[in-house]
């Protein structure tokens, strides 16, 4: 286009030459973007790469909080790349791309590791990237935050929406899933836990044991777990033959048996959830209970539960919530963090389904009581679940009003269509991600009904809907709601989940 600054015939000649040149030469390789374009977290993820696999091999000393080792990424360039970013809060000591030393910059304050390979990566090319590092995760912050948990319980790389940056370099966004090998060496009196199946434990030096975990299904970075500490590890198999691994912190005290009475029922709860959502999507099951967090998180195949959740006794509704995420959030991940309703609204609805299964209150009763017990000016109705904002992703409205939206949908389309929608969402998008508008389109296609007004009312508009989630007939005929037996426990779960996330 610079030719247009000239005059006369020179303009035409230069313009023709410019067009011919553009048609015969490709653009020069360019830097990948520092994020995927998620409005809530602009630096989350990275442009220009698609990670296929992570091989993470680390040693961790709880006494000093020193984490050292390498992460090897197999990634494919999605454009011609002169350089690319990885999300990482720790200090890299070396980076190699396809076995050649690469130039790199540690932008730890904003969580970016900028890598310039010796040779540009071409679109479609698969590269091997090896990052070596040694650092103390508890000392590193990204935008003033630190998601690493360190204490007498050991250490946890557990949080949402970000936690991986404090223990491995990654393309840290749910839209770029990968498979994982996670190998963690820790002192002998500690257990090291991650996702998937425990392949082996080995000893290569006195006083240390290495734990090798493998995840063979696509997995998001924030769902990948690092847990080192003193735990009781319990290994068995589910009735259908999958590895079932649970772990309980040595410091749980009076909460231990209540935790076990809840988490050890995971295979039973997942059998029930599979009847509602479709087959369980992963190769292993389990759970970890720790005093290191108060909230809980749906880490893939092995949710992590804060010990606080079992102080008052068993809490199977929480187990149902976090394991429902194995379908909604883990198997089908959100496309942008504004789509958090696709995670939390569905997991909250699963608590209602489990309550009905256990005879603790039906879905309709829980939905009606939630609607009736929140006045028109209650906080529940002030937030829009379809786009709550980064600071309110885990607001109680996303959980409760999110579940109410699903009950309103079920009322509108009927049970057969409703559960077909839920199962089809899994069947079509398992291993990938989706957006709220994608779900609405699927619901309309399967039900054959226009649903714009329903979702506009329940999901996109502030204010209490004029008619309750069980429909106009139930609304006009209703009497004073009676509190279902499970209601207080479910609400306690949601308060803790809403209050205790880092963001």
């Amino acid at each position: 286009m610079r030719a247009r600054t000239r005059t006369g015939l020179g303009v035409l000649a230069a313009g023709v030459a410019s067009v011919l040149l553009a048609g015969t030469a490709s653009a020069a390789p360019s830097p990948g973007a520092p994020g995927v374009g998620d409005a809530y977290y602009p630096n989350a993820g990275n442009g220009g790469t698609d990670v296929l696999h992570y091989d993470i091999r680390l040693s961790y000393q709880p006494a000093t909080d020193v984490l050292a080792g390498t992460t090897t990424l197999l990634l494919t360039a999605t454009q011609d790349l002169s350089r690319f970013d990885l999300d990482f809060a720790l200090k890299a000591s070396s980076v190699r791309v396809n076995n050649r030393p690469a130039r790199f910059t540690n932008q730890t304050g904003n969580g970016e590791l900028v890598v310039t390979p010796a040779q540009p990566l071409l679109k479609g090319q698969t590269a091997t990237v090896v990052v070596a590092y040694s650092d103390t995760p508890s000392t590193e912050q990204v935008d003033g935050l630190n998601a690493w948990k360190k204490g007498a319980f050991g250490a946890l790389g557990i949080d949402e929406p970000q936690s991986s940056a404090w223990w491995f370099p990654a393309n840290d966004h749910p839209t770029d899933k990968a498979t994982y090998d996670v190998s963690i060496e820790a002192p002998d009196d500690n257990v090291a836990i991650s996702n998937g199946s425990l392949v082996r434990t080995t000893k290569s030096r006195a006083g240390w044991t290495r734990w090798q975990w493998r995840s063979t299904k696509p997995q998001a970075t924030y769902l990948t777990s690092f847990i080192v500490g003193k735990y009781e590890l319990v290994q068995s198999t589910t009735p259908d033959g999958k590895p079932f691994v649970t772990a309980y912190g040595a410091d749980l005290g009076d909460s231990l048996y209540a935790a076990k009475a809840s988490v050890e029922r995971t295979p039973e709860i997942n059998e029930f959830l599979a009847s509602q959502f479709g087959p369980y999507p992963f190769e292993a099951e389990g759970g970890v209970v720790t005093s290191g967090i108060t909230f809980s998180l749906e880490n893939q195949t092995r949710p992590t539960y804060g010990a606080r959740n079992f102080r008052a006794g068993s809490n199977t509704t929480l187990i149902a919530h976090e394991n429902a995420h194995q379908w909604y959030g883990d198997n089908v991940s959100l496309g942008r963090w504004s789509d958090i309703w696709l995670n939390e609204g569905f997991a909250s609805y699963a608590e209602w389904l489990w309550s009905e299964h256990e005879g603790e209150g039906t879905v309709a009763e829980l939905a009606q009581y939630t609607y009736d017990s929140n006045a028109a000016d209650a906080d529940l109705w002030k937030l829009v679940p379809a786009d709550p904002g980064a600071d309110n992703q885990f607001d109680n409205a996303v959980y409760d009003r999110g579940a109410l939206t699903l009950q309103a949908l079920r009322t509108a389309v009927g049970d057969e269509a409703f559960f077909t929608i839920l199962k089809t969402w899994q069947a079509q998008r398992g291993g990938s991600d989706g957006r709220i508008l994608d779900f609405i389109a699927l619901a309309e296609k399967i039900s054959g009904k226009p649903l714009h007004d329903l979702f506009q009312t329940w999901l996109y508009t502030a204010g209490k809907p004029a008619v309750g989630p069980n429909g106009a007939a139930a609304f006009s005929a209703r009497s004073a709601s009676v509190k279902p037996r499970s209601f207080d426990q479910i609400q306690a779960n949601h308060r803790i989940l809403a209050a205790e996330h880092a963001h």
Side-chain angles (χ1 to χ4, degrees), residues 98-122:
N98 292 333
N99 294 304
R100 299 185 179 190
R103 291 187 289 115
F104 63 94
T105 303
N106 288 299
Q107 297 180 358
T108 53
N110 65 1
E112 297 290 320
L113 175 64
V114 183
V115 178
T116 304
Q119 294 181 335
L121 301 181
L122 302 181

Side-chain angles (χ1 to χ4, degrees), residues 153 229-233 247-253 256 259 288-291 307:
F153 55 84
K230 294 176 172 60
Y231 290 85
E232 174 192 354
L233 194 74
Y248 303 91
D251 59 352
L252 298 189
L256 175 62
V288 179
V289 184
T290 176
S291 64

Side-chain angles (χ1 to χ4, degrees), residues 194-216:
S194 193
N195 312 76
S197 302
L198 179 60
V199 177
R200 68 179 71 89
T201 59
T202 58
K203 290 183 67 65
S204 57
R205 55 174 172 155
W208 292 76
T209 300
R210 181 168 290 281
W211 302 74
Q212 173 72 49
W213 299 86
R214 167 162 283 191
S215 298
T216 61

